[in-house]
Amino acid sequence: MSNLYEYIKMAVHNIMANKGRSFLTMLGIIIGIASVIAIVSVGEGTKNQMNSEIDDIGGGQIAISVSDEAQTDEEWITADDVEAIRAVDGIEGVNVSDSFSGETTTGKGNFSLMLTGEGPDAKLLNNATMKHGVYFGENEVQEAKNVCVLSDADAKRLFGTDDVVGMTVDVNCYGLTKSLHICGVTTQKENGTFVSYTYEGMPVTINVPYTTMNEFTGVSDYFFSVTMQADKSLNSQDVADKVVKLMEKRHQCAGKDYFQVQSFQDIMSSMNQMLDMVTAFISFVAGISLLVGGIGVMNIMLVSVTERTREIGIRKSLGAKTSSIMMQFLAEAAILTVIGGVIGIVLGVIGGYVICSIISSSMGMSITPGISLSTIMAATLFSCAVGVFFGIYPAKKAAKLSPIEALRRN
């Protein structure tokens, strides 16, 4: 232990004796570690923020649709199926959603419409926040009332104001014109980072009871797909399996794969995998500077061996073992990279916060860097490994010097 202390003491002394050269040697390590930590922390912070916002909107949602085989055999999801699904344990609501094109004319001009027929649980599944009025519900759907809901942004496009509850909009779809009573206006969640909507150049979206939509299209109460809201505390896949078994039992089609399921967890998992791959690739590119930094450490240690040849010769002539000389130079290389690693970690953490702050202020979002202890530990261990790996060759070269030849050199 005392020998190790002496090696470290000597290494620190030699590093301090050449401050400028030591700093330039550490620079590659500092840049590499700082870049990797900053990139990983920003990537994790972005992923966490995205997951949080998307989970608020669609967490626990499950979509079930009929396959091509089912459509060929004319098996569809019916209104009775929807009611049966709603009674499954863990299901909080079920929504149907079919969209059709239409048009309308107001004092603001002519507009293309996207008419969406929905069920009584539409407000829950759409995670809608009401700004004015109320969303239509069970009664409006059963009685096929001529009511509709639209967003505040679309209301302003149509009428120049979002205070439009009680007003009517004349909708033309499939050659039929209806006057729809506006019963509610929704508003987009504030401070949304990733989940936002662009209305410029897009059709105006109007949500109506699907039974009202049927009067436009002449379509009966059967659906290509429905969306369910499962209890977020439950495993969505387990709930989805229950629903599939129920549907196969009702349609007597077990083993035919008539019904396909996609849970929101699957979508989020795929998105997270893509983000992780992008972060890993960028981190790998940034980590190349660690290799460059390691080569710099080896280069400067070789120079150090050449400069201190006479010192090595004196130590060996006085009885210093080959292993002692090797440990001395290994310690110096390791300390150089450890110091560079620590500085890189500090700069990386600061850089992560600075980058997230810039992104947050410029894009109106709130991202906190995802800095984990495991990332910092991995960076520290890696920097130590770089120092030891690239210090082995110079240390061996110093240890193998003949004391007689070393003392002859100037």
Side-chain angles (χ1 to χ4, degrees), residues 43-242:
E44 285 296 313
T46 301
K47 183 174 72 175
N48 294 338
Q49 179 66 18
M50 182 187 71
N51 287 343
S52 175
E53 290 195 6
I54 295 180
D55 186 64
D56 285 345
I57 292 179
Q61 289 193 6
I62 305 166
I64 182 170
S65 59
V66 294
S67 65
D68 292 338
E69 292 80 3
Q71 295 178 49
T72 301
D73 293 341
E74 296 186 352
E75 290 288 345
W76 303 90
I77 301 172
T78 66
D80 290 338
D81 290 332
V82 172
E83 292 304 316
I85 293 172
R86 187 179 281 114
V88 173
D89 289 340
I91 295 294
E92 297 180 345
V94 184
N95 189 33
V96 300
S97 181
D98 288 319
S99 297
F100 301 90
S101 299
E103 57 184 19
T104 188
T105 301
T106 67
K108 291 290 184 177
N110 299 321
F111 296 90
S112 297
L113 300 178
M114 182 64 70
L115 292 169
T116 302
E118 299 182 314
D121 295 329
K123 182 177 184 296
L124 172 65
L125 271 294
N126 293 338
N127 197 32
T129 300
M130 303 309 300
K131 188 171 185 178
H132 303 292
V134 296
Y135 220 102
F136 53 80
E138 188 77 39
N139 290 336
E140 288 78 11
V141 173
Q142 288 183 354
E143 297 174 15
K145 289 187 175 180
N146 294 328
V147 295
C148 67
V149 173
L150 68 166
S151 70
D152 52 358
D154 280 336
K156 289 178 181 177
R157 290 177 64 191
L158 292 176
F159 302 103
T161 177
D162 58 27
D163 189 11
V164 295
V165 173
M167 298 175 63
T168 59
V169 55
D170 294 328
V171 173
N172 182 276
C173 180
Y174 287 94
L176 178 65
T177 300
K178 275 182 174 290
S179 293
L180 300 179
H181 176 83
I182 301 174
C183 63
V185 176
T186 63
T187 183
Q188 183 179 324
K189 179 183 176 183
E190 294 184 0
N191 299 324
T193 305
F194 300 96
V195 184
S196 58
Y197 302 91
T198 301
Y199 290 93
E200 188 64 32
M202 293 177 63
V204 172
T205 299
I206 294 181
N207 301 326
V208 301
Y210 75 84
T211 47
T212 302
M213 196 70 236
N214 289 346
E215 296 181 19
F216 283 108
T217 62
V219 177
S220 302
D221 293 344
Y222 63 85
F223 315 100
F224 170 75
S225 65
V226 297
T227 305
M228 301 160 281
Q229 177 65 57
D231 186 338
K232 292 184 180 182
S233 65
L234 301 177
N235 186 301
S236 297
Q237 190 58 51
D238 292 341
V239 178
D241 291 341
K242 290 181 182 179

Side-chain angles (χ1 to χ4, degrees), residues 270-336:
S270 298
M271 294 178 65
N272 287 338
Q273 286 179 359
M274 288 189 290
L275 282 174
D276 288 340
M277 289 175 63
V278 172
T279 301
F281 175 74
I282 299 175
S283 299
F284 173 76
V285 173
I288 293 175
S289 60
L290 284 173
L291 177 62
V292 177
I295 295 173
V297 170
M298 182 170 64
N299 182 55
I300 207 67
M301 293 305 299
L302 287 171
V303 172
S304 182
V305 170
T306 303
E307 289 180 346
R308 293 155 61 186
T309 300
R310 189 172 182 81
E311 173 195 333
I312 295 169
I314 293 173
R315 289 193 64 202
K316 296 196 75 172
S317 65
L318 293 175
K321 296 180 180 180
T322 299
S323 59
S324 298
I325 301 296
M326 185 172 178
M327 286 299 298
Q328 176 189 345
F329 281 87
L330 268 181
E332 188 169 333
I335 289 173
L336 273 172

Side-chain angles (χ1 to χ4, degrees), residues 246-382:
L246 172 67
M247 294 295 292
E248 289 180 343
K249 181 178 180 180
R250 290 180 60 86
H251 290 260
Q252 298 180 357
C253 60
K256 294 185 179 180
D257 295 327
Y258 274 5
F259 301 100
Q260 300 172 338
V261 172
Q262 184 176 44
S263 69
F264 201 78
Q265 288 179 342
D266 296 334
I267 299 173
M268 292 184 66
S269 177
S270 298
M271 294 178 65
N272 287 338
Q273 286 179 359
M274 288 189 290
L275 282 174
D276 288 340
M277 289 175 63
V278 172
T279 301
F281 175 74
I282 299 175
S283 299
F284 173 76
V285 173
I288 293 175
S289 60
L290 284 173
L291 177 62
V292 177
I295 295 173
V297 170
M298 182 170 64
N299 182 55
I300 207 67
M301 293 305 299
L302 287 171
V303 172
S304 182
V305 170
T306 303
E307 289 180 346
R308 293 155 61 186
T309 300
R310 189 172 182 81
E311 173 195 333
I312 295 169
I314 293 173
R315 289 193 64 202
K316 296 196 75 172
S317 65
L318 293 175
K321 296 180 180 180
T322 299
S323 59
S324 298
I325 301 296
M326 185 172 178
M327 286 299 298
Q328 176 189 345
F329 281 87
L330 268 181
E332 188 169 333
I335 289 173
L336 273 172
T337 51
V338 168
I339 294 174
V342 171
I343 296 174
I345 289 170
V346 173
L347 292 179
V349 172
I350 294 173
Y353 276 97
V354 170
I355 294 172
C356 287
S357 176
I358 293 173
I359 294 175
S360 298
S361 60
S362 63
M363 299 184 66
M365 59 180 70
S366 178
I367 298 179
T368 303
I371 299 171
S372 64
L373 182 61
S374 59
T375 302
I376 293 176
M377 290 298 295
T380 304
L381 293 174
F382 191 78

